Amino acid sequence: MIDHSVYALFFYVSAMAFALLYGGFRQKTLFILTVISAGAGFVIQTVMEARAWFHTEIPPAANLHELFQLTAWAVLALYFILYPMTRSRILVFFLMPLVNLAYMAGMMVPNQPLEPKPFYFTPWFAIHIFLLVFGIGFFFVSFLYAAIFIMQDHSLRHRHAPSHLPIPSLEEAERWSARLLLAGYPIYTLGMFSSIIYGVLFGNKEHYRPGLLEGASVLAWLVLGVASYGWLTAKVHPRRRSWLVVAGAAFSVLIILGIIWH
Amino acid sequence: MSDLILVGVNHKKTPVELREGLAFADPEKVPFLDGLRQSGHVKGAVLLSTCNRVELYADLREGSTAEDLIGSLMESRGFPRERRDLFYIQEQKDAVRHLFRVASGLDSMILGEPQIFGQVKEAYFQARDGGVVTTPLNLLFQKAFHVAKQVRTQTGIGERPVTISYAAFNLASSIFADLSTKRILLLGAGEMSRIVATHFVESGVKQVRVANRTYEHGVEFARYFGAEVVPWADFPKALIQSDIVISSTGAPRPILLRPMVETVMKLRRWASLFIIDIAVPRDVEETVGKIDGVYLYDIDDLQEVADEGLAERQKKATLAESMIASELDLYTRFLDHQSLSEVIGGLMGWAGRVQDAELEEALKRMGDLTPKQQEVVKNTVRRVVHKILHHPITQVKRLVLEEETANALQVFRDLFPVEPAQEGKAPPEDP
């Protein structure tokens, strides 16, 4: 039987190719093709995820395969939601490789059937998963802007000519990185606490064994918390804040990987 | 192709003292073009007059020459007759190529500069509004705008800065999202400072302030930009509210030292500060550039950015030239097609009329024919006419479109009584 995720992958890879070409040639048509391809992949994936949820009655983020792919989906969803505000076309040049990386990483991991735990069937799990995945999605898009800020800053400090890529200015990259971080942080925090509240109310404390997922979750939360504080108070220089966002995104990857040992 | 001709002078061959003598002010252009048309030299024309060139693109009338146009230009401006040698003349395809290159900025003094595109457009609109643009000129200029846009967007030839002032402006755009919300502080009142600041002022920065050791000189300098003057002793305070600093004092030692700028940055809550130091000796201590959030460029840095930009534009110009060559080819083919269909349409029109007249005469003489018999006669005559014309039409198409034989169309026109095309009437179909 054909794995339907291949269809979504086909469109995501096409979108990435168009996005990379857009970076080189900056033709509006290439951007439109990127959006159309990415949109087609997104629709296919949404249908796939919804069907999987319907059949198993478990939100499609209970193993590494699913979590990687749901993260790719969330990042793309955020781009589509935010585009009317950011109007940033060049972001697809950075975003589509990230989406493909997450999606392909998911495909490379076997989609092992789950040993159903009662928790998976509660609304708590769905709330926990979607808040967490969207929180991480916000961090990843914030990370892209932070990376753009670091690139621009590096280029300007070393007195290079402006980049060939029409990347956003330092100010714009900083602004969006901050906004996305500050929007994602409360969502992520709620995602973390929804799980804790469930554990306290219904869980079994004797069986609680914190591992990589929990450790990385807390570390990412702390690092991004410091970055958010830096942005809110303007007490930390934007470049350092951007590095903190990069570090926070790296810990977010560990959160995803941590599900293996969960 | 119509009788397109270009005569003109530009910065490459003609010094500014002579160019300025030939330049036209906007209100003078249409009356000149109209006079040229009424004199019977041209059917229509467009006059491009900028700092670097005066060019006349004309749809020439039969019997007129480039010399007539040059004579009219020189006469209207009182240009010295002995400098006739400064004019260049381009005809047909060469004139089209020249216009494509000019509109794309490839013939400009600063390679790839974007202003010329707007100037060409303006020249065309003035002529069009003055009613002196013919259909061939209209087609040509529309095509030139299309080509110039393609060249700009596909090669990005105008993107990299090639002058110090534009390099500074370009760098500022990499730092700040919206320059209209930014404040500029000019330290010193030098000429270079004025040139660099002009780009920023034209882009509509929020505020310009000037601090100069000699207050009166500062006031005079500030008037040029409509700027505010800050007493020299207060410039460190002014730094706190400024986003861009352009420094060009004649101070023998740096005036912006690291401890001062560090304090300023803390008070600015690390908001980015772009410092352009165009003074020699430099006004800003080199280590200031190491402070977080400070982007310091001196004159050599800016020159380097400008040089890189120029090298980049030269590379892109090669690509632009090949794009122009292929667009030129497409355009001439399009014109050939257009002329061809006009000629074939004219021939078919003439043949149709002869055929109808002869048929009417013949049917009258044949007496009582049944409708079916009349139809057979008509169809036979039509087929004969089509068959006779088929071969010469196929041959002329081949010669014009495939072998691009010069004058094939003219020979065809001479051989057959081709009727001129009627405005708004589609030519009959080919046999």
Side-chain angles (χ1 to χ4, degrees):
Chain A
M1 193 178 146
I2 297 170
D3 179 1
H4 287 82
S5 57
V6 172
Y7 298 130
L9 179 69
F10 168 77
F11 285 109
Y12 286 159
V13 170
S14 308
M16 181 170 70
F18 290 130
L20 295 177
L21 286 170
Y22 175 74
F25 298 100
R26 277 157 285 160
Q27 293 294 302
K28 194 179 171 188
T29 317
L30 289 169
F31 174 72
I32 293 169
L33 288 170
T34 305
V35 172
I36 291 171
S37 302
F42 182 78
V43 169
I44 293 171
Q45 194 187 349
T46 307
V47 172
M48 271 166 37
E49 304 286 8
R51 277 180 57 189
W53 192 352
F54 181 76
H55 286 303
T56 61
E57 293 176 38
I58 299 170
N63 62 24
L64 190 60
H65 170 93
E66 291 178 343
L67 198 54
F68 265 132
Q69 295 196 338
L70 196 67
T71 306
W73 179 85
V75 168
L76 202 51
L78 283 174
Y79 179 75
F80 288 137
I81 293 166
L82 294 170
Y83 180 74
M85 286 172 272
T86 63
R87 313 297 295 177
S88 177
R89 289 184 188 168
I90 194 64
L91 194 62
V92 294
F93 179 83
F94 301 94
L95 187 120
M96 282 320 300
L98 183 73
V99 168
N100 272 276
L101 189 68
Y103 196 82
M104 285 186 208
M107 287 187 83
M108 278 152 61
V109 180
N111 190 5
Q112 284 167 340
L114 289 168
E115 185 192 316
K117 295 177 188 173
F119 175 54
Y120 291 158
F121 298 96
T122 66
W124 284 99
F125 185 61
I127 293 167
H128 166 65
I129 282 298
F130 277 93
L131 288 172
L132 212 62
V133 167
F134 267 100
I136 291 173
F138 270 105
F139 295 155
F140 281 160
V141 186
S142 173
F143 152 76
L144 292 177
Y145 276 109
I148 289 169
F149 180 93
I150 292 165
M151 277 165 56
Q152 275 281 33
D153 178 75
H154 180 269
S155 164
L156 286 161
R157 291 174 76 79
H158 290 81
R159 297 176 180 91
H160 295 151
S163 165
H164 285 272
L165 287 173
I167 56 175
S169 64
L170 275 180
E171 198 175 43
E172 199 183 340
E174 182 197 345
R175 189 188 298 154
W176 278 108
S177 181
R179 284 177 183 171
L180 291 162
L181 174 65
L182 295 175
Y185 196 70
I187 295 172
Y188 177 77
T189 306
L190 283 173
M192 269 178 66
F193 279 95
S194 61
S195 157
I196 293 169
I197 292 166
Y198 175 83
V200 170
L201 294 178
F202 311 107
N204 190 340
K205 278 177 234 165
E206 284 78 48
H207 290 110
Y208 181 59
R209 301 271 184 278
L212 180 66
L213 188 147
E214 288 79 6
S217 298
V218 173
L219 275 174
W221 187 70
L222 288 174
V223 170
L224 293 166
V226 174
S228 303
Y229 170 79
W231 250 296
L232 287 170
T233 60
K235 281 189 177 168
V236 182
H237 178 261
R239 183 153 45 96
R240 289 176 202 158
R241 296 190 295 234
S242 298
W243 278 113
L244 283 172
V245 172
V246 172
F251 283 119
S252 301
V253 176
L254 289 181
I255 301 170
I256 297 171
L257 290 174
I259 201 167
I260 301 171
W261 296 279
H262 196 54
Chain B
M1 204 177 287
S2 68
D3 292 320
L4 176 70
I5 198 157
L6 150 72
V7 296
V9 296
N10 67 11
H11 58 91
K12 290 180 183 164
K13 212 168 135 191
T14 312
V16 65
E17 314 85 80
L18 291 170
R19 280 201 320 268
E20 65 193 5
L22 260 183
F24 282 76
D26 281 347
E28 296 173 315
K29 289 179 188 169
V30 173
F32 169 75
L33 293 174
D34 206 34
L36 206 59
R37 193 174 56 169
Q38 285 180 13
S39 70
H41 291 316
V42 300
K43 294 178 211 158
V46 176
L47 181 66
L48 174 66
S49 178
T50 71
C51 311
N52 292 326
R53 67 185 67 242
V54 175
E55 290 179 343
L56 181 66
Y57 295 86
D59 188 355
L60 209 59
R61 275 198 190 283
E62 213 173 309
S64 294
T65 63
E67 293 305 321
D68 296 328
L69 302 185
I70 294 172
S72 300
L73 267 173
M74 290 167 85
E75 199 180 302
S76 76
R77 303 282 92 185
F79 196 73
R81 287 201 163 271
E82 61 276 16
R83 300 319 309 266
R84 158 71 191 78
D85 58 308
L86 294 173
F87 280 85
Y88 46 78
I89 301 167
Q90 310 259 14
E91 289 177 22
Q92 307 291 54
K93 205 170 171 178
D94 293 335
V96 177
R97 183 189 292 110
H98 184 85
L99 178 62
F100 287 0
R101 294 187 76 250
V102 167
S104 307
L106 296 182
D107 199 53
S108 296
M109 190 182 267
I110 297 169
L111 183 65
E113 57 95 5
Q115 285 89 346
I116 187 67
F117 180 61
Q119 290 166 329
V120 174
K121 265 187 144 174
E122 190 56 36
Y124 163 75
F125 287 133
Q126 283 167 346
R128 191 196 63 181
D129 295 345
V132 283
V133 173
T134 56
T135 306
L137 281 172
N138 186 31
L139 280 174
L140 169 68
F141 275 81
Q142 295 301 338
K143 182 68 183 175
F145 302 147
H146 168 77
V147 172
K149 272 187 200 162
Q150 293 269 96
V151 165
R152 293 207 166 273
T153 51
Q154 288 186 17
T155 67
I157 191 165
E159 281 169 8
R160 306 297 290 268
V162 290
T163 61
I164 284 178
S165 53
Y166 187 44
F169 180 76
N170 205 253
L171 287 161
S173 306
S174 298
I175 299 171
F176 304 110
D178 180 8
L179 287 175
S180 69
T181 61
K182 303 300 163 205
R183 294 181 165 97
I184 294 191
L185 175 64
L186 304 174
L187 296 177
E191 178 59 14
M192 197 58 201
S193 177
R194 188 183 62 76
I195 294 169
V196 174
T198 301
H199 267 296
F200 291 98
V201 174
E202 281 173 358
S203 78
V205 286
K206 188 178 180 184
Q207 187 187 38
V208 183
R209 283 178 295 175
V210 177
N212 196 53
R213 274 184 204 279
T214 317
Y215 189 79
E216 292 71 28
H217 191 191
V219 170
E220 199 182 307
F221 185 76
R223 204 173 293 138
Y224 180 82
F225 295 114
E228 192 184 302
V229 187
V230 178
W232 182 252
D234 290 346
F235 91 75
K237 268 192 227 161
L239 272 177
I240 300 165
Q241 289 117 31
S242 304
D243 304 291
I244 299 163
V245 177
I246 301 172
S247 187
S248 70
T249 74
R253 274 182 294 278
I255 54 162
L256 282 180
L257 306 175
R258 184 169 179 150
M260 182 207 286
V261 181
E262 270 175 342
T263 311
V264 165
M265 288 306 285
K266 273 180 202 155
L267 292 167
R268 288 172 57 77
R269 306 183 99 188
W270 310 107
S272 301
L273 178 64
F274 182 30
I275 304 179
I276 303 158
D277 181 4
I278 42 179
V280 180
R282 285 177 294 176
D283 281 341
V284 187
E285 207 175 44
E286 205 173 343
T287 54
V288 165
K290 298 202 185 310
I291 302 169
D292 277 344
V294 175
Y295 303 97
L296 169 65
Y297 280 72
D298 64 27
I299 188 105
D300 284 357
D301 299 326
L302 292 174
Q303 188 59 58
E304 212 170 295
V305 172
D307 290 346
E308 275 182 45
L310 185 62
E312 188 68 26
R313 282 193 188 193
Q314 277 160 348
K315 264 195 258 167
K316 287 176 174 174
T318 316
L319 176 63
E321 294 285 5
S322 64
M323 281 175 70
I324 284 178
S326 68
E327 287 289 346
L328 181 66
D329 193 42
L330 279 176
Y331 183 66
T332 45
R333 273 170 188 273
F334 162 75
L335 291 181
D336 287 346
H337 269 278
Q338 216 185 27
S339 310
L340 189 63
S341 47
E342 271 172 25
V343 166
I344 293 172
L347 176 64
M348 294 302 295
W350 167 79
R353 260 178 289 281
V354 171
Q355 167 196 283
D356 291 347
E358 291 299 324
L359 260 174
E360 203 184 322
E361 190 62 37
L363 288 172
K364 262 188 213 163
R365 268 187 274 148
M366 279 189 258
D368 296 334
L369 293 179
T370 64
K372 199 176 176 185
Q373 286 168 328
Q374 284 188 15
E375 200 56 34
V376 170
V377 174
K378 278 181 189 172
N379 286 341
T380 309
V381 173
R382 278 185 196 131
R383 272 202 305 277
V384 170
V385 170
H386 277 213
K387 277 186 178 168
I388 290 171
L389 291 179
H390 178 77
H391 184 69
I393 287 175
T394 312
Q395 286 306 306
V396 77
K397 273 187 182 172
R398 186 181 59 77
L399 288 169
V400 172
L401 301 177
E402 291 170 24
E403 296 185 16
E404 295 174 23
T405 310
N407 298 330
L409 214 52
Q410 192 52 51
V411 172
F412 194 79
R413 270 197 185 106
D414 295 341
L415 281 173
F416 294 95
V418 176
E419 291 179 341
Q422 285 173 24
E423 195 90 8
K425 192 177 173 188
E429 277 178 30
D430 289 3

